[in-house]
Amino acid sequence: MTSHKRKIAVAMTALAAGFGAMNTAFAQDLTRVEVMLPVGENVAFAPLIVARERGFFAEQGIEVTSLVADGSGYLSQQIVAGNVDFAMMGAADTVVAFNRRDDVRVLFCNQIKNVYRIVARADTGITTMTGLNGMSLGYTEPGGGESQLVAAAIAEAGLEANKTITLVPIGPAGPQSLIALQNDTVQAYSSSFPDVAVLAAQGIEWVDITPEKYSNVPGTCTVTTEQVLATEDGMREATALATAWVGGQYFAIENRDATLDLVCDTLQSACENKPVATALFHEAMNLITPPEGQRPGQPDLSAWRTVVEILAANGTVPADLDITPLISGEHVKAVVDAAYAEH
């Protein structure tokens, strides 16, 4: 190697080392934020994956990692106990947590619509809940997550469980539920959207008969407490998390194909069965996409009041529970204003 080439090589090595040090310093400058999820990351968390992989979190100065809990009910316990700062929880468990600890707050929702659905086989001709009079409705199991939705929808339709409508536990998506639907043991089914999507991918054509009132209650939302938001670090992390995640929602809604490719590149095991993964993704995006006039992820007070109504019907929370503070207040407003500032 000539003296001139040797000098160039040394200079390039030094430059590369300098960039490496800058990248390391940048990575070290990111604040680690943990979000506890009810299940592992999957296609339903597309905005989270977008925000991480496209650098939205990094732009806000945070590095987000997810912890997996044993269901949304466990998350409720952890938030109430103050063991976690941020958790993605189902709406019902969020209200239960608020009833037990009145400084619980919702920052934004991942799914703005109910993750639980009531669907009828298209070949039955049933298009509303009242059409289930004299019919059978399958569900996962007694006490399943859909049970409160089913009870409320049946009552609103003027039906009576196991008198004018038969309820049959047939399990989640799988051979047992598929056979029950194909053999006409049940004409309709209620479960979370992944089960509905998987059965659709296996050939069941659905008509969604979830009453609109219950369809538009929130799915899963990011929850924290005033105790966290009252600190400088807590507010900074909450604002960064909400801003980047909401940005991920806007991107996913506007770029569905690119988002699905990104999710499958990142979570390859979740996309091994591409038709099922695609069905799950599009169903998830339908729940993430808000009704007209509502912003992605934005909590809606009337929808939260419906959650209280559903829970109060079986005595889980008081019927007069004022849910307003759950999605309001100075700190929540500041986080929300920042999150939507560029949209």
Side-chain angles (χ1 to χ4, degrees):
M1 180 182 292
T2 67
S3 175
H4 178 67
K5 289 182 178 179
R6 186 178 297 110
K7 289 179 180 179
I8 293 176
V10 170
M12 293 298 291
T13 300
L15 186 61
F19 279 121
M22 289 173 60
N23 289 336
T24 300
F26 178 71
Q28 290 174 342
D29 287 339
L30 297 180
T31 300
R32 183 177 179 181
V33 176
E34 293 181 340
V35 179
M36 188 169 279
L37 306 178
V39 295
E41 292 184 19
N42 57 53
V43 295
F45 295 107
L48 163 64
I49 295 163
V50 167
R52 181 188 293 133
E53 298 301 318
R54 290 189 64 84
F56 297 172
F57 287 135
E59 288 174 5
Q60 297 300 319
I62 61 174
E63 176 186 3
V64 174
T65 58
S66 61
L67 305 175
V68 181
D70 186 16
S72 188
Y74 176 80
L75 290 174
S76 178
Q77 298 170 16
Q78 297 304 299
I79 282 287
V80 170
N83 293 335
V84 295
D85 289 345
F86 303 103
M88 182 66 67
M89 293 166 48
D93 290 308
T94 299
V95 171
V96 169
F98 175 73
N99 186 49
R100 296 174 59 194
R101 177 173 173 166
D102 63 8
D103 77 329
V104 168
R105 298 291 182 265
V106 169
L107 301 177
F108 62 90
C109 295
N110 185 50
Q111 292 113 348
I112 206 68
K113 300 173 188 172
N114 201 338
V115 297
Y116 296 104
R117 321 300 298 170
I118 303 175
V119 290
R121 293 197 335 263
D123 62 345
T124 65
I126 297 169
T127 57
T128 64
M129 281 295 300
T130 56
L132 289 178
N133 189 13
M135 302 292 182
S136 296
L137 171 66
Y139 64 103
T140 59
E141 61 183 354
E146 71 279 6
S147 58
Q148 292 170 330
L149 165 65
V150 169
I154 286 175
E156 184 185 57
L159 302 174
E160 193 170 352
N162 297 320
K163 289 189 177 180
T164 57
I165 178 175
T166 302
L167 301 181
V168 184
I170 60 174
Q176 179 180 349
S177 54
L178 182 61
I179 291 171
L181 287 157
Q182 291 175 333
N183 292 351
D184 203 37
T185 302
V186 297
Q187 292 75 48
Y189 182 58
S190 182
S191 186
S192 60
F193 76 91
D195 285 336
V196 173
V198 168
L199 289 166
Q202 293 176 327
I204 302 295
E205 186 177 350
W206 298 118
V207 173
D208 193 333
I209 60 172
T210 312
E212 183 176 1
K213 175 181 180 180
Y214 303 124
S215 178
N216 289 330
V217 303
T220 56
C221 303
T222 295
V223 178
T224 187
T225 63
E226 279 289 346
Q227 182 178 4
V228 172
L229 297 177
T231 68
E232 184 178 343
D233 287 345
M235 270 298 289
R236 183 172 60 252
E237 292 170 8
T239 302
L241 178 65
T243 300
W245 197 305
V246 167
Q249 289 180 316
Y250 274 98
F251 181 92
I253 291 169
E254 296 167 1
N255 304 275
R256 290 200 178 195
D257 290 343
T259 298
L260 177 58
D261 290 341
L262 179 60
V263 170
C264 287
D265 287 343
T266 306
L267 303 176
Q268 295 182 10
S269 61
C271 295
E272 290 177 353
N273 186 327
K274 194 61 179 290
V276 170
T278 301
L280 282 170
F281 172 77
H282 287 299
E283 186 63 29
M285 289 306 304
N286 288 339
L287 303 184
I288 290 170
T289 304
E292 185 175 352
Q294 187 173 346
R295 297 182 295 193
Q298 182 180 25
D300 176 74
L301 182 57
S302 64
W304 283 99
R305 286 174 173 161
T306 300
V307 179
V308 172
E309 178 186 321
I310 294 171
L311 294 174
N314 60 18
T316 303
V317 300
D320 61 353
L321 179 65
D322 181 10
I323 204 69
T324 307
L326 177 68
I327 61 171
S328 63
E330 177 184 352
H331 291 134
V332 170
K333 183 179 186 303
V335 171
V336 170
D337 287 348
Y340 294 98
E342 297 183 3
H343 302 286

